[in-house]
Amino acid sequence: MNITPPHPPRRGPFHIVDLFAGPGGLDLAAEVLGIPSIGIEWDDGAVATRLAAGLRTEPGDVRLFGPGDAQFAECNVLAGGPPCQTFSIAGNGTGRKALDLVTGFIHRMHDWYKREKAGKTGETWEDIQRALDKLDDERTGLVLQPLRWVFEAMLRPRHGGQTPQPFEVIVLEQVPAVIEVWHEYEKVLRAIGYDTAAKVFHTEQYGVPQTRRRAVLVARYGGPPARLPAPTRQLYRKGASPTEYLFGRESWVSMEDALKDVYERVPEARRRTMPFCVVSNYGSGGDPKARGRRESDKPSATITGKWSRNRIVGVDSPETEMERLTQEEAGVFQSFPYRYPWRGKDQAQQIGNAVPPWFGVHVLSAALDLGAPGDDVWERLLRWPEELD
């Protein structure tokens, strides 16, 4: 059934509000695309990194803000990646329990929205928030904050406005296990007038020199249909060698390729002896002693918050210990610029938790219907913060 939007969205330049913005992966993607953004972040270290990078930032708890606040009055794109730890598929099934719990809250929120829209009394958002505050792990409830922002934007005028202004575009991103939450979001978003699309992506298919899977939800209100980015590169398979072209796509980007791109454009970058092999801190195949290995002519394995524990050894001489990854190199494997100014505490965790900016460029380009990003965007990201000649 087609639903006519009750409030036509404001057409014009895009402005992004990024909830749970972290050290700035998605905001940096927006910057190189020329799109203004403001991020909300409560971690002091990530805030310090964002400020050093010159990213517009509102420090604090997402729960204490809303779309009616003055600083977000022009934002017509809602983005974010709420904490995901309670949805892990590992362990004793708590992730499944959390999903069932969140699904129930999503429907309670939808009922609240419908009552507010109809001017009826009943359970309020404050009632729902009090119930969320009683959960054993507050992060479970944080995944609902983007939906609260969506509903509030549709119910109440923005700062200085006369009528509610729904977000024109929604972009949400998290670990693969959260795709089930995004599918529940889709049901509600479609019921209130959004067109939606959600999928789990492999970031190496978008030029990120790392095998990393992410669940993305895109929604559009009263305009073009929701679009997800088409892959531009090949999927990495364990043990595979790069193929120049396969299925019309270029090969994935290896760690060596990513570092060579940096060396060509950043004179002060510290050169690493290649080839090399990264030996994971984690076991493989269920055996804690069988450490995963990835040679430098392949994409990096997923950069987690524990990447600094990985060993670097020679390819032909595995007994030869080499310098471990620097934060600049780990950032490059996340597709951040080499010069990105990591600050504050837990920098390894900041890097591991961040949205890969180059993946963010592809997602935003598709979600905002900007067309495929060109080489000039990649150059801006590599050379950041220098201006192009």
Side-chain angles (χ1 to χ4, degrees):
M1 179 177 66
N2 292 326
I3 300 175
T4 302
H7 306 290
R10 291 173 300 172
R11 300 299 178 190
F14 292 114
H15 291 76
I16 299 173
V17 54
D18 184 9
L19 313 183
F20 311 100
L26 195 67
D27 301 87
L28 182 59
E31 179 177 303
V32 298
L33 286 169
I35 302 169
S37 69
I38 178 171
I40 302 175
E41 176 55 44
W42 68 358
D43 178 76
D44 290 342
V47 168
T49 295
R50 293 177 59 85
L51 295 178
L55 299 176
R56 191 178 173 202
T57 303
E58 190 67 52
D61 188 337
V62 166
R63 292 170 291 189
L64 302 180
F65 298 97
D69 297 336
Q71 61 269 50
F72 311 120
E74 295 302 314
C75 294
N76 55 358
V77 178
L78 177 70
C84 61
Q85 290 89 339
T86 55
F87 297 96
S88 172
I89 59 175
N92 58 6
T94 55
R96 179 71 244 179
K97 294 176 183 177
L99 175 60
D100 293 341
L101 185 65
V102 165
T103 297
F105 273 105
I106 287 174
H107 293 299
R108 284 172 67 175
M109 291 174 69
H110 189 200
D111 289 341
W112 155 67
Y113 165 79
K114 289 186 288 187
R115 282 192 300 271
E116 286 275 320
K117 200 74 175 173
K120 297 179 179 179
T121 59
E123 186 177 47
T124 66
W125 167 251
E126 289 71 23
D127 295 329
I128 296 173
Q129 184 61 64
R130 280 192 289 270
L132 290 170
D133 290 341
K134 294 178 182 178
L135 297 179
D136 292 336
D137 193 325
E138 67 177 355
R139 296 172 299 184
T140 301
L142 290 175
V143 78
L144 299 169
Q145 286 300 312
L147 191 57
R148 173 181 69 86
W149 278 65
V150 171
F151 286 150
E152 289 193 358
M154 297 190 76
L155 288 170
R156 303 179 181 91
R158 300 290 188 92
H159 181 81
Q162 299 299 315
T163 60
Q165 286 293 335
F167 287 104
E168 184 177 341
V169 184
I170 300 167
V171 180
L172 303 177
E173 179 266 4
Q174 252 308 335
V175 296
V178 179
I179 191 65
E180 298 300 329
V181 177
W182 296 161
H183 288 327
E184 292 298 326
Y185 260 55
E186 284 191 282
K187 296 174 185 176
V188 172
L189 292 173
R190 289 171 181 167
I192 61 176
Y194 281 89
D195 185 72
T196 71
K199 181 181 175 182
V200 174
F201 291 86
H202 296 258
T203 61
E204 77 272 17
Q205 290 192 282
Y206 298 86
V208 178
Q210 174 192 176
T211 54
R212 187 184 191 94
R213 298 171 67 231
R214 306 303 288 177
V216 174
L217 166 64
V218 170
R220 292 290 300 246
Y221 185 81
R227 290 189 174 92
L228 297 172
T232 61
R233 293 180 178 269
Q234 297 162 32
L235 181 68
Y236 173 75
R237 300 292 186 187
K238 185 177 180 179
S241 297
T243 304
E244 188 171 356
Y245 280 95
L246 186 66
F247 306 120
R249 299 173 190 158
E250 291 184 79
S251 177
W252 28 259
V253 178
S254 70
M255 290 182 273
E256 289 180 7
D257 292 336
L259 292 175
K260 288 175 182 177
D261 273 348
V262 167
Y263 299 158
E264 288 178 6
R265 293 165 176 82
V266 184
E268 72 273 21
R270 188 172 182 176
R271 269 59 175 172
R272 173 176 287 278
T273 300
M274 296 187 278
F276 57 87
C277 180
V278 180
V279 183
S280 174
N281 180 58
Y282 297 98
S284 177
D287 182 355
K289 296 181 179 179
R291 304 297 185 182
R293 305 173 69 87
R294 192 72 66 86
E295 295 182 356
S296 56
D297 62 347
K298 310 291 192 299
S300 168
T302 301
I303 297 292
T304 71
K306 307 297 184 184
W307 59 264
S308 60
R309 299 181 183 181
N310 296 340
R311 295 168 51 232
I312 311 293
V313 300
V315 172
D316 298 322
S317 53
E319 71 284 352
T320 302
E321 294 281 342
M322 304 172 72
E323 179 190 15
R324 297 200 177 191
L325 287 181
T326 65
Q327 63 184 19
E328 291 85 3
E329 290 171 329
V332 166
F333 296 160
Q334 274 275 55
S335 75
F336 276 87
Y338 185 88
R339 298 185 179 100
Y340 204 68
W342 303 102
R343 297 286 189 274
K345 297 180 179 178
D346 296 325
Q347 292 177 19
Q349 196 69 48
Q350 288 184 48
I351 296 170
N353 287 348
V355 176
W358 191 234
F359 181 58
V361 164
H362 281 275
V363 171
L364 288 178
S365 295
L368 306 182
D369 210 21
L370 304 178
D375 291 341
D376 59 322
V377 179
W378 181 233
E379 282 290 333
R380 281 197 289 274
L381 191 58
L382 280 169
R383 293 189 182 186
W384 185 96
E386 287 186 354
E387 295 293 331
L388 292 179
D389 296 333

